[in-house]
Amino acid sequence: MNIQRAKEIYASKDMISVHLDGEPVWIEHVDSDNGMATVQVGSRPTNTHTVGVERLEEQGS
């Protein structure tokens, strides 16, 4: 995924399926300057990771 698409998904009101290494994630923050995104893995709010946006995969596109 590229940084622009990550920002679009983060800003969208629609449910857009995004995965990190095969696991569903929610994008919580996008750092445009560094090409990074903070994501919540699964349904546990405490399970967050900051990763390069290129590791995120949009599902169903």
Side-chain angles (χ1 to χ4, degrees), residues 34-45:
N34 296 306
M36 304 294 281
T38 301
V39 297
Q40 175 186 317
V41 180
S43 60
R44 295 195 323 263

Side-chain angles (χ1 to χ4, degrees), residues 3-43:
I3 194 75
Q4 183 59 38
R5 185 60 183 143
K7 288 169 59 177
E8 290 169 1
I9 291 171
Y10 175 70
S12 176
K13 291 180 176 30
D14 297 327
M15 292 265 301
I16 300 171
S17 181
V18 176
H19 286 198
L20 170 66
D21 300 332
E23 293 286 327
V25 297
W26 290 98
I27 298 175
E28 294 192 336
H29 176 75
V30 177
D31 179 351
S32 300
D33 294 337
N34 296 306
M36 304 294 281
T38 301
V39 297
Q40 175 186 317
V41 180
S43 60

Side-chain angles (χ1 to χ4, degrees), residues 1-3 12 19-20 22 29 37 41-42 47 51-53 55-56 60:
M1 177 177 302
N2 64 39
I3 194 75
S12 176
H19 286 198
L20 170 66
H29 176 75
V41 180
N47 190 6
V51 298
V53 294
R55 291 186 57 199
L56 301 177

